[in-house]
Amino acid sequence: MENIFHILNGDCLAGQLKETSIDGKVIICREALISGDVKASSLEGFWKLRAGFIAKEYHVDHENYYEKVVSEFQKISDLPGNAEVHLWFEDDLFCQTNMWFCLFLLSDLKNIRIYRVYPRIPINKDHWKGFSLSNAKDLEESLHSKVELEEKDIQLGIHLWNAYQNQDMGRLIQLSEIQSGCFNKLKEVIEAYSNTFPENQTVNNLQVYIKELVDSGITDFNSVFEKFQQDFGIYGYGDLQVKKMYDAV
């Protein structure tokens, strides 16, 4: 259908969606806003900032970033009036920061309806595995159970993005107290984010955690990454994010 759009949390989910009967156009969020500087005074400045970070951190040239990443976000800005937008994001910190940014972009559009689509997590399964646990039927049922964002929910997303951009931990903690059916696990996610700051030297600090793993004899990266995912799935980190911390030990 012409006015239905699905903003997905990555290419993997895009592949899964192809196996379903779900209609609509797909927009893929290919950023990792959990890493690197995100503070800029304009959107154009933001793209330049992120392109520079991605080029340095992941060896992706600027042209490729604009072609693969910015072009997808531009589709959000170009959405037509009366669009129905589905946000397919999980509850982990990685996905949430990306979703907050998408809501920031969507906030400039008029006469659109925005929905949050949650993964269906089987009982006794890891909540943070998200859509990776879903088959075609699960994805179709997730869409059927979508939750519409009210204006207050959209504003919460914008405020979260602004506070995150400014690394305003106090404001994020304040916002995490707000109850919303569109932001599950928000309090836990913000608390987890606070543990990424260097001044937090408790065992919950990720760098401290990885160092303790290595000191205990778990030195192989694959083993460290597997253990990290088991204990800290709330972050949603991929191997690139964990490898950076591992290399710093």
Side-chain angles (χ1 to χ4, degrees):
M1 298 177 68
E2 289 298 317
N3 70 326
I4 295 180
F5 296 84
H6 305 282
I7 303 179
L8 310 182
N9 68 356
D11 288 277
C12 183
L13 181 56
Q16 290 175 267
L17 229 61
K18 290 179 180 178
E19 304 301 319
T20 72
S21 60
I22 294 172
D23 294 321
K25 297 180 180 179
V26 166
I27 299 172
I28 303 174
C29 179
R30 295 192 173 112
E31 252 288 8
L33 297 173
I34 191 60
S35 300
D37 193 1
V38 294
K39 188 174 182 180
S41 58
S42 68
L43 196 55
E44 186 55 41
F46 179 80
W47 300 137
K48 290 180 180 179
L49 178 71
R50 294 302 299 174
F53 169 75
I54 296 296
K56 180 180 179 181
E57 196 74 8
Y58 303 119
H59 310 294
V60 175
D61 62 53
H62 287 62
E63 182 179 344
N64 190 268
Y65 178 81
Y66 277 87
E67 179 183 341
K68 298 292 186 181
V69 180
V70 178
S71 63
E72 290 294 307
F73 283 124
Q74 186 60 48
K75 293 177 184 178
I76 295 178
S77 301
D78 294 339
L79 287 174
N82 300 315
E84 182 177 300
V85 183
H86 303 110
L87 300 173
W88 295 71
F89 289 88
E90 295 156 8
D91 288 328
D92 60 76
L93 182 61
F94 186 108
C95 270
Q96 284 299 291
T97 54
N98 285 345
M99 189 178 84
W100 301 341
F101 178 64
C102 288
L103 283 170
F104 166 75
L105 294 178
L106 287 165
S107 67
D108 285 336
L109 306 179
K110 306 298 182 184
N111 301 318
I112 65 170
R113 300 180 73 174
I114 306 172
Y115 298 86
R116 173 84 191 273
V117 181
Y118 285 101
R120 295 176 64 84
I121 309 297
I123 296 174
N124 298 325
K125 293 293 184 179
D126 186 353
H127 178 86
W128 307 110
K129 294 292 185 182
F131 289 114
S132 68
L133 300 174
S134 299
N135 57 30
K137 182 180 178 182
D138 292 330
L139 294 175
E140 291 166 1
E141 290 180 353
S142 287
L143 181 60
H144 181 72
S145 303
K146 63 190 178 184
V147 179
E148 184 168 8
L149 277 76
E150 299 178 14
E151 181 60 29
K152 62 182 178 65
D153 301 310
I154 297 171
Q155 289 302 314
L156 175 56
I158 296 168
H159 292 322
L160 285 164
W161 173 249
N162 289 335
Y164 178 70
Q165 267 196 309
N166 292 294
Q167 293 196 330
D168 187 343
M169 201 62 235
R171 178 62 171 153
L172 284 169
I173 291 172
Q174 182 184 43
L175 292 169
S176 74
E177 299 292 340
I178 298 174
Q179 299 296 313
S180 169
C182 300
F183 295 89
N184 284 356
K185 308 289 185 181
L186 183 58
K187 190 167 186 176
E188 295 96 319
V189 165
I190 297 303
E191 182 178 348
Y193 177 55
S194 72
N195 291 327
T196 65
F197 286 77
E199 54 266 28
N200 181 345
Q201 288 298 303
T202 69
V203 70
N204 289 323
N205 178 274
L206 304 186
Q207 196 74 57
V208 173
Y209 169 84
I210 290 176
K211 185 177 186 305
E212 290 193 354
L213 283 183
V214 173
D215 289 345
S216 71
I218 304 176
T219 57
D220 173 67
F221 173 71
N222 290 333
S223 299
V224 169
F225 182 57
E226 182 179 357
K227 190 74 167 63
F228 183 93
Q229 286 189 309
Q230 290 173 359
D231 293 345
F232 288 110
I234 191 171
Y235 290 93
Y237 283 1
D239 56 349
L240 293 176
Q241 287 81 36
V242 179
K243 185 65 161 59
K244 182 178 180 180
M245 293 185 288
Y246 172 83
D247 289 341
V249 171

